Amino acid sequence: MPHLPRKGRARADHGLPEFRATDRAAPGAFSPWQLSGAGAVGGQVIMGLPTLSRLRHHFGQALSVWPFQPPDRPIVLAESYFSLLASAHLTDHAIRDAAQVSLYARAFSNLTPGGWDSLLAVDPTPEGWVLGLGQATLLQEAAMPDLTPPPLRNDCFAMPQGAHWTPVDEALAHLRTNLTAVTGTEEIPLLQAAGRILATPVTANRSHPPYANAAVDGYAFAGPLSTGAHTLPLHPGRAAAGSPFAGTVPPGHAIRILTGANIPDGTDTVVLQEDTAASATHIALHGPLKRGANARRAGEDMQAGDDILPARHRLTPADLATLAACGTGTVAVHRLLRVGVLSTGDELRAPGGTAAPGQIFDANRAMLLADVARWGHQPVDLGIAPDDRQRLGKILDDAASRCDAILTSGGASAGDEDHMSALLQGTGSLALWRIAMKPGRPLALGLWQGKPVFGLPGNPVAAQVCALIFAHPALAVLAGADWPAPQGFTVPAAFTKSKKAGRREYLRARLTDGAAVVFASEGSGRVSGLSWATGLVALPDAAAEIAPGTSVTYLPFGSFGL
């Protein structure tokens, strides 16, 4: 069939388009005219047509072919592309084709009648259509397994008994071991995924780069070249990014190529334009030039099927670029963790209002709501609760219906007005931790209607330090992420301090000329020190004598996600 050569650009005068409308709508689809040559797709279709014919013969009027006929028979045949769905979200099969078919079976079996109506609402067309084309989101949502995590155990905060003071590292290890994700999952477009936490691993849908391509503007030829001067005839045409050269470059010839263009057949090496002298018909250059020079190998960055990013990874802007480059359009992520923030105490008033003698403005709520937002969660403002146990219980009831976790400040100790601890005690889940740290000794933890509650101290500095050290990593795990250990740096001290053994101390600090300077006061009510500081100096549990030049650990606020 002379008018149907294998190369699409050479086909002409057969009266039909190169691609069907459905092929143009499906990225990566092959032309039906590929059947005129060799290829696996052609073999599958040629073998499949007799099978379809046998089905038609056997079932007769019980069968219809969509979209040429209405889907109103017991059996409906439809064309589909299993690659429309990302098989990376299914790990039941090691073979990619099997994973894709299984994923489609799950999607179709989970579709509601309304979903089927939407999927089949395609006008009849003489070209046919692909079932699900343009509706991958609908299918992907139906295909996703139920990944709603189980509730936390009622004893998830219960520390081993016997120690009156709990060391910081022991408390952190307990949280890391006993907390799990509490959020479900959803499938979202990649462009909306910055800051979200992956629920499943992502594999590359496509190699990057997908084809060998030029790293520079110049001329492509078959290398290598030996030492000395060389002259090569120029082959007509050129290769440019997005417009690859369709033919084959003859041996001993060169062809014009631009940065990012696919390396043409018959070539494997590129010479930099500035290293050549060119005429309309020839180029001249000096060797030596090794084979593959100035050419990027196909898949040298990522190979199709490679694991790219693991589950529990929080996506950065750079991650979005990586995933986009390997063909990822949607990702399965954990739903945003909804974190309620509640301040407690009759003495508190909202900022900007009026405060009578004995009253103070609520500094903690604004700070903790901002912490939650910066950590990538969804903050929920629960307001201020009075020192009234019954009213506080109702506020917690409402919070449990709207939040996945709750941060409170104040009322976290064991005094007469520490109603938060008393309420959690009533649930049988209270763990009143006396942390061996300064600031921030009392930490009340428990479950309210199955939702984890972190009762922080009332003093702003203690509340923030406890939030950074304990709430930041704990909330990350509840949100589906890995435990984020803060990155510390060893720097010389620019202060003097004598520290007793028995508890870890966190000092508000900043770096000046590479040394750690600490805030003038260690008082946990001096909230302005948090604004002054750029991080914390962590002093060890053991006794220590700090003098200028002594090595200390500096934890920048950035290592806590702020």
Side-chain angles (χ1 to χ4, degrees):
M1 303 173 73
H3 62 292
L4 293 179
R6 290 194 62 187
K7 296 294 185 181
R9 294 175 182 269
R11 285 194 285 268
D13 303 322
H14 50 69
L16 291 171
E18 180 72 14
F19 290 92
R20 301 175 298 167
T22 184
D23 300 322
R24 292 193 296 271
F30 292 100
S31 165
W33 299 109
Q34 181 173 335
L35 288 171
S36 66
V41 173
Q44 290 170 0
V45 172
I46 290 170
M47 289 186 294
L49 289 174
T51 301
L52 297 177
S53 178
R54 285 198 302 274
L55 290 172
R56 163 69 81 187
H57 177 77
H58 180 78
F59 291 104
Q61 296 303 310
L63 180 149
S64 67
V65 181
W66 176 92
F68 307 105
Q69 298 171 308
D72 56 359
R73 309 291 174 84
I75 301 173
V76 179
L77 299 183
E79 178 184 7
S80 195
Y81 293 166
F82 291 130
S83 59
L84 290 178
L85 296 184
S87 60
H89 302 316
L90 190 74
T91 58
D92 298 345
H93 303 279
I95 301 172
R96 184 178 180 84
D97 286 356
Q100 290 176 327
V101 172
S102 181
L103 192 66
Y104 252 77
R106 174 178 289 171
F108 288 152
S109 65
N110 290 341
L111 279 174
T112 63
W116 273 111
D117 290 342
S118 175
L119 213 62
L120 295 169
V122 174
D123 294 331
T125 164
E127 295 185 339
W129 194 252
V130 170
L131 184 65
L133 185 60
Q135 303 192 62
T137 300
L138 172 65
L139 287 176
Q140 199 78 56
E141 290 176 352
M144 283 300 297
D146 181 9
L147 295 179
T148 301
L152 292 172
R153 302 187 310 274
N154 204 47
D155 61 350
C156 64
F157 294 126
M159 291 288 289
Q161 299 301 310
H164 182 67
W165 294 99
T166 303
V168 171
D169 289 340
E170 184 178 341
L172 291 174
H174 183 84
L175 291 175
R176 186 170 188 171
T177 299
N178 290 277
L179 294 183
T180 58
V182 298
T183 52
T185 66
E186 59 183 342
E187 188 84 9
I188 63 172
L190 181 68
L191 295 181
Q192 300 173 15
R196 301 297 294 273
I197 299 166
L198 286 174
T200 58
V202 181
T203 58
N205 292 328
R206 189 189 197 199
S207 296
H208 183 257
Y211 305 96
N213 65 81
V216 297
D217 289 346
Y219 298 90
F221 55 91
L225 284 183
S226 59
T227 302
H230 300 269
T231 300
L232 301 176
L234 271 178
H235 189 66
R238 72 167 193 170
S243 299
F245 180 72
T248 299
V249 179
H253 287 63
I255 189 171
R256 179 71 168 139
I257 193 168
L258 303 181
T259 302
N262 291 355
I263 301 295
D265 290 345
T267 71
D268 54 24
T269 304
V270 178
V271 61
L272 188 67
Q273 176 178 319
E274 291 84 348
D275 291 338
T276 65
S279 69
T281 59
H282 289 76
I283 63 168
L285 67 156
H286 281 89
L289 201 64
K290 64 181 180 180
R291 188 187 306 277
N294 300 312
R296 306 182 183 103
R297 301 186 311 278
E300 69 176 18
D301 186 14
M302 296 173 282
Q303 295 278 351
D306 283 352
D307 291 332
I308 303 302
L309 293 173
R312 299 184 298 278
H313 176 78
R314 189 181 291 277
L315 292 169
T316 67
D319 293 330
L320 301 193
T322 298
L323 296 181
C326 67
T328 302
T330 61
V331 287
V333 297
H334 284 273
R335 296 185 184 276
L336 288 175
L337 186 76
R338 298 164 299 177
V339 182
V341 176
L342 175 68
S343 293
T344 66
D346 286 339
E347 73 280 12
L348 298 179
R349 290 297 178 268
T354 58
Q359 296 175 338
I360 58 174
F361 293 117
D362 177 16
N364 289 348
R365 192 158 45 99
M367 174 178 65
L368 295 174
L369 285 168
D371 285 344
V372 169
R374 290 286 293 272
W375 294 336
H377 313 306
Q378 182 178 334
V380 179
D381 186 359
L382 301 177
I384 300 173
D387 289 325
D388 182 302
R389 199 163 298 182
Q390 186 174 5
R391 290 179 62 184
L392 178 57
K394 291 181 178 179
I395 292 173
L396 290 176
D397 287 341
D398 174 67
S401 70
R402 297 191 287 140
C403 304
D404 302 305
I406 303 168
L407 291 183
T408 71
S409 61
S413 191
D416 293 342
E417 298 298 326
D418 290 317
H419 301 292
M420 182 60 63
S421 298
L423 286 171
L424 292 177
Q425 181 71 56
T427 68
S429 67
L430 173 69
L432 187 58
W433 291 4
R434 291 176 173 84
I435 307 296
M437 64 180 286
K438 176 185 177 182
R441 182 183 68 182
L443 193 62
L445 302 105
L447 299 179
W448 189 267
Q449 295 186 9
K451 304 300 174 65
V453 179
F454 296 81
L456 305 176
N459 284 327
V461 176
Q464 180 69 336
V465 170
C466 281
L468 298 182
I469 302 302
F470 296 106
H472 171 240
L475 293 177
V477 172
L478 294 173
D482 284 323
W483 179 275
Q487 175 65 59
F489 301 91
T490 300
V491 298
F495 62 93
T496 299
K497 179 178 175 60
S498 179
K499 178 194 171 298
K500 296 180 180 179
R503 60 180 178 174
R504 185 164 307 175
E505 295 191 20
Y506 293 95
L507 309 177
R508 286 154 285 175
R510 66 193 311 173
L511 293 184
T512 300
D513 297 328
V517 179
V518 297
F519 190 56
S521 170
E522 296 182 16
S524 60
R526 296 282 295 272
V527 66
S528 64
L530 292 172
S531 295
W532 173 89
T534 58
L536 301 173
V537 161
L539 299 181
D541 299 349
E545 294 292 333
I546 309 299
T550 302
S551 293
V552 295
T553 300
Y554 173 72
L555 301 169
F557 286 146
S559 69
F560 296 104
L562 300 183

